Amino acid sequence: MITTLNKMRGMTWLVRKSLRINLTVEQRLIHISAVHLQKRYSGKHEWAELDKDNSVKIGISQYAADALGDVVYAALPEEGQEIIEDSECGALESVKAASEIYSPLPGIVLEKNERVENKPALINTSPEGDGWLFRVKLEDLSLFEKLMTKEEYMKYLESQTDDLD
Amino acid sequence: MLKWRILSNRLNRLNSSFKLMHTSSSLSRKRIYRSTSDDVFYNLALEDWLYQHSDEELLILWKNSPCVVIGRHQNPWIEANIPYLKKQNIKLARRNSGGGTVFHDHGNLNLSFITNKSQYNRRNNLELICRALHGVGVSAVINERDDILLNGKKISGTAAKLARNRAYHHCTVLVDVDRQSLSQSLKNEYSHEIIKTNATRSIRSPIENISGQVSDITLDEVERCIAGEYAQGADIENFHHDIITGGDEILEIYQNFKSWQWVYGKSPKFFIEDKISVNGSEIEIQLSIVNGIVETLHINSEIRNINGSGVNLVLSEDSLSNITQNMRGLEKECMEIFSEKMSKIL
């Protein structure tokens, strides 16, 4: 009786373990696809969006675009340029001020958004959509996951404005 | 303590005409630096170096020998009269901040307010200048474009550069500038029909000198008032001599500001479109220029990629030199590169 019970427990354990493994794989699959759909944000108001091919689109957040004012010129990094995380890689000019562009993630530039070069106002009208700035090839995905999710970023923004009060 | 370094000959020559004097306010961590060099490239380098290497609030004051300074994303050929500048030995510089083109000479005071990003406040700086000017009988006001006006005319232009942690706002004050030289220097030689570009354009406004209202005012007086207002009670007559220790670094930045690649080559991509007479017939030429180098040449309706091969142009050597001459005196280096590449192809 006890042996049978043990056997049953053992079997159940085996079944449960295999189920757990399957669940973990599933969870992992969901996790990857969720990450690929998301935009992540840096504390300096840049966003990054991971594409299926692990290239990352970079832009500035609505908050940053509003703070800049009307963008009259976008100097974007060139294709093939190596971007070092947190260092200047371009500039946006607005209201007589040239603001440096930083990338929250390192990588080689695959593409710059020529539409924005020709029409910098896109950065104001659609900073998190058509107004993206450039795309980089990201080697280390874990760096992407270290950035804030949208919810975390919105909370972060609130805390920033609270401090100003 | 003072630190002396062996500087290169060039820097020595510059530094012999340059003294860095500073005073610090005991009320807050603020410093005022006054450059006695009148070399625009050196002063831009000094500003850039202090902006990068200091974490204090600074005001830098300087004046330049006659020069034209264009904004970071501008095209010098449409902003300034380059042949006139060359003839008059007026320098042409490109700064790192945004905004439009200005003319400097010894009647113009330059100010740079360097702060941390969180303290960046253009309006405050302009109000400080206005308060100082009111103190010498100049009734200046600020408009919505952050220009300082006197009797409705501009006496100051503003520009800024913002990075993650630091920022600077610099501006001019027209005390007694040579107006004729200014208007000749800023007359754009090439019409917008010929040069097509996304580069930022200057907005021309009528200007005025402070000396127009207070005829015997000197630049030194204006400088002292503004410095006094900034220092808020600190004794600004006690200047201390100091030597910037970053000699070689400033030299590197200086050489970059002086280089053709920065001044002319940094112009945003532009197109030159013109009709010229070659071999008795009129042909349309379009050049695209990126980083100062001719990238493509478009003749009538055929595109010739300069870097490609197999270009079949029926043009003689004479015609080629006609083309280059007819390109209305574009920067010589640019045209030399063009001719060199063209003669390789033909």
Side-chain angles (χ1 to χ4, degrees):
Chain A
M1 175 78 171
I2 298 169
T3 330
T4 325
L5 262 173
N6 278 338
K7 270 192 196 156
M8 277 173 67
R9 269 196 213 114
M11 276 171 63
T12 320
W13 180 85
L14 269 171
V15 168
R16 255 192 269 138
K17 187 163 189 264
S18 62
L19 273 175
R20 218 177 286 138
I21 292 169
N22 283 336
L23 273 170
T24 316
V25 166
E26 255 176 46
Q27 278 168 344
R28 253 188 268 131
L29 283 170
I30 290 166
H31 179 66
I32 289 172
S33 58
V35 162
H36 279 88
L37 289 170
Q38 268 182 12
K39 261 200 185 67
R40 293 284 178 111
Y41 294 78
S42 76
K44 300 292 182 181
H45 315 292
E46 298 120 15
W47 58 261
E49 188 180 274
L50 189 62
D51 264 329
K52 287 184 284 282
D53 60 356
N54 289 342
S55 69
V56 186
K57 255 190 201 164
I58 309 273
I60 61 168
S61 70
Q62 184 74 56
Y63 176 82
D66 291 342
L68 270 180
D70 292 339
V71 180
V72 299
Y73 189 83
L76 302 175
E78 295 295 326
E79 195 182 306
Q81 191 175 320
E82 194 190 336
I83 306 276
I84 300 168
E85 181 177 340
D86 292 343
S87 76
E88 300 171 0
C89 60
L92 297 176
E93 185 169 336
S94 64
V95 206
K96 308 190 207 189
S99 296
E100 298 293 340
I101 299 173
Y102 299 85
S103 174
L105 298 166
I108 306 284
V109 177
L110 294 168
E111 191 191 349
K112 61 178 178 175
N113 187 352
E114 285 188 6
R115 279 187 70 202
V116 148
E117 269 196 334
N118 296 326
K119 197 177 171 201
L122 273 174
I123 295 171
N124 295 112
T125 54
S126 176
E128 303 198 20
D130 289 339
W132 62 273
L133 299 175
F134 55 93
R135 217 156 43 86
V136 295
K137 181 161 185 264
L138 181 66
E139 297 298 340
D140 182 355
L141 286 184
S142 68
L143 292 174
F144 177 79
E145 294 184 32
K146 285 194 180 129
L147 299 173
M148 291 185 260
T149 61
K150 179 117 194 181
E151 293 72 32
E152 287 165 346
Y153 177 64
M154 297 311 287
K155 282 201 190 109
Y156 170 76
L157 274 184
E158 272 172 34
S159 71
Q160 295 274 289
T161 43
D162 283 343
D163 285 340
L164 287 172
D165 291 335
Chain B
M1 288 306 293
L2 289 177
K3 276 191 188 159
W4 292 89
R5 283 182 54 176
I6 313 284
L7 300 172
S8 70
N9 283 343
R10 197 144 191 204
L11 195 58
N12 269 335
R13 218 174 346 113
L14 284 165
N15 269 347
S16 64
S17 69
F18 159 74
K19 270 181 213 150
L20 195 66
M21 295 176 278
H22 81 256
T23 185
S24 25
S25 162
S26 52
L27 301 171
S28 60
R29 288 176 58 79
K30 277 183 178 181
R31 272 185 204 254
I32 302 174
Y33 282 98
R34 185 171 160 267
S35 169
T36 57
S37 167
D38 68 353
D39 180 335
V40 59
F41 304 112
Y42 188 84
N43 287 321
L44 285 172
L46 177 66
E47 179 189 44
D48 199 64
W49 190 88
L50 284 170
Y51 151 79
Q52 285 186 51
H53 288 83
S54 172
D55 53 10
E56 295 174 310
E57 242 185 278
L58 305 173
L59 169 63
I60 315 178
L61 301 160
W62 74 93
K63 28 183 197 294
N64 293 322
S65 59
C67 64
V68 166
V69 184
I70 62 173
R72 168 110 166 244
H73 304 124
Q74 294 204 295
N75 180 310
W77 289 283
I78 58 177
E79 295 295 336
N81 187 339
I82 293 179
Y84 177 79
L85 299 189
K86 297 209 156 164
K87 202 165 143 201
Q88 302 292 325
N89 271 332
I90 296 173
K91 293 177 186 148
L92 175 66
R94 177 188 300 269
R95 59 181 187 269
N96 246 328
S97 56
T101 300
V102 286
F103 173 86
H104 294 174
D105 67 15
H106 284 112
N108 174 71
L109 176 64
N110 287 302
L111 303 121
S112 185
F113 297 86
I114 304 184
T115 61
N116 289 330
K117 181 84 172 280
S118 51
Q119 295 159 315
Y120 169 75
N121 191 324
R122 274 189 341 211
R123 200 78 191 183
N124 275 358
N125 300 334
L126 296 172
E127 283 168 2
L128 187 155
I129 296 171
C130 280
R131 277 197 308 273
L133 291 177
H134 295 165
V136 284
V138 179
S139 52
V141 295
I142 309 169
N143 77 357
E144 69 287 345
R145 290 199 71 243
D146 281 352
D147 296 326
I148 303 182
L149 304 178
L150 182 62
N151 302 324
K153 294 196 186 149
K154 204 167 144 175
I155 57 166
S156 165
T158 258
K161 176 166 147 99
L162 292 99
R164 253 192 188 163
N165 301 313
R166 296 282 280 171
Y168 64 75
H169 159 219
H170 56 197
C171 54
T172 55
V173 177
L174 297 175
V175 179
D176 192 19
V177 144
D178 179 343
R179 297 184 61 159
Q180 207 183 6
S181 217
L182 184 151
S183 69
Q184 283 284 87
S185 300
L186 300 184
K187 192 157 68 168
N188 65 340
E189 180 72 357
Y190 306 108
S191 84
H192 296 181
E193 292 302 307
I194 298 180
I195 294 189
K196 301 231 156 80
T197 177
N198 275 342
T200 56
R201 308 289 170 108
S202 299
I203 296 177
R204 308 276 176 201
S205 328
I207 52 111
E208 178 66 275
N209 276 317
I210 289 179
S211 59
Q213 190 176 68
V214 181
S215 55
D216 56 353
I217 199 158
T218 63
L219 193 136
D220 285 341
E221 220 178 311
V222 174
E223 189 182 89
R224 266 201 302 278
C225 280
I226 295 175
E229 192 66 40
Y230 180 83
Q232 291 185 354
D235 188 358
I236 62 166
E237 290 306 313
N238 287 342
F239 284 143
H240 300 277
H241 293 260
D242 199 354
I243 299 283
I244 288 285
T245 54
D248 288 345
E249 284 169 3
I250 298 185
L251 185 60
E252 209 180 302
I253 302 171
Y254 164 83
Q255 278 164 349
N256 183 54
F257 272 120
K258 209 169 175 172
S259 67
W260 189 94
Q261 205 45 46
W262 173 260
V263 176
Y264 295 96
K266 191 86 178 155
S267 303
K269 177 173 180 172
F270 65 101
F271 299 90
I272 301 169
E273 292 172 6
D274 204 2
K275 283 194 179 85
I276 48 180
S277 182
V278 176
N279 287 348
S281 47
E282 216 178 54
I283 61 172
E284 282 171 16
I285 297 259
Q286 189 203 60
L287 298 169
S288 75
I289 298 168
V290 176
N291 296 328
I293 307 294
V294 176
E295 192 178 61
T296 62
L297 167 66
H298 182 148
I299 296 184
N300 281 346
S301 58
E302 295 161 78
I303 296 175
R304 318 282 182 197
N305 191 315
I306 294 289
N307 293 319
S309 57
V311 171
N312 187 18
L313 285 175
V314 187
L315 289 172
S316 64
E317 283 281 340
D318 284 340
S319 307
L320 179 62
S321 75
N322 266 342
I323 291 175
T324 56
Q325 266 166 31
N326 277 312
M327 282 296 177
R328 310 224 180 156
L330 274 179
E331 184 56 35
K332 189 163 165 276
E333 289 91 336
C334 191
M335 291 319 298
E336 275 173 358
I337 291 165
F338 169 52
S339 314
E340 198 191 299
K341 287 194 191 274
M342 282 301 291
S343 57
K344 281 188 185 145
I345 290 166
L346 290 173

